[in-house]
Amino acid sequence: MCRKETETLRKESMELYGFGPEAMKHTRVCTQCGTATTADTPNCTVCGAALPKETLYDQYIRRHLRCPYCHAVLKDLSNYCPQCGKKLR
């Protein structure tokens, strides 16, 4: 199996089981009780509080360094992007 096929299978599996960036883009977390809810729901299904506008993905990318070329998440001291291989800084 080539790298592209492997990457496609990985992304499909993550989405199927509710993990990865695509699943995070469709999830918001209640700031009152911590319940994860679909992004199209305006209020928490458990406590009724208004959900934040940010999705779980928005919160994740705000808290992590990202590659300026492919936007992959990076470790703090990365010299090269693990996704695209380009030199950083």
Side-chain angles (χ1 to χ4, degrees):
M1 189 179 292
C2 74
R3 181 185 165 122
K4 188 174 182 176
E5 290 171 332
T6 303
E7 183 65 18
T8 300
L9 181 60
R10 184 184 72 80
K11 286 180 180 180
E12 289 173 357
S13 296
M14 288 176 72
E15 190 170 339
L16 177 66
Y17 294 106
F19 295 99
E22 292 307 311
M24 292 170 70
K25 289 176 184 177
H26 302 288
T27 305
R28 293 192 288 169
V29 178
C30 178
T31 56
Q32 299 298 311
C33 70
T35 300
T37 310
T38 58
D40 58 353
T41 306
N43 293 39
C44 177
T45 56
V46 174
C47 71
L51 292 172
K53 297 209 182 296
E54 280 189 318
T55 64
L56 194 54
Y57 182 76
D58 296 331
Q59 293 176 18
Y60 180 77
I61 62 171
R62 185 170 36 87
R63 292 182 175 131
H64 293 85
L65 295 174
R66 297 185 331 155
C67 173
Y69 306 104
C70 72
H71 306 290
V73 173
L74 304 170
K75 291 184 178 180
D76 290 340
L77 301 175
S78 296
N79 291 317
Y80 292 89
C81 176
Q83 186 69 35
C84 70
K86 293 191 178 179
K87 185 170 176 65
L88 305 170
R89 297 187 191 112

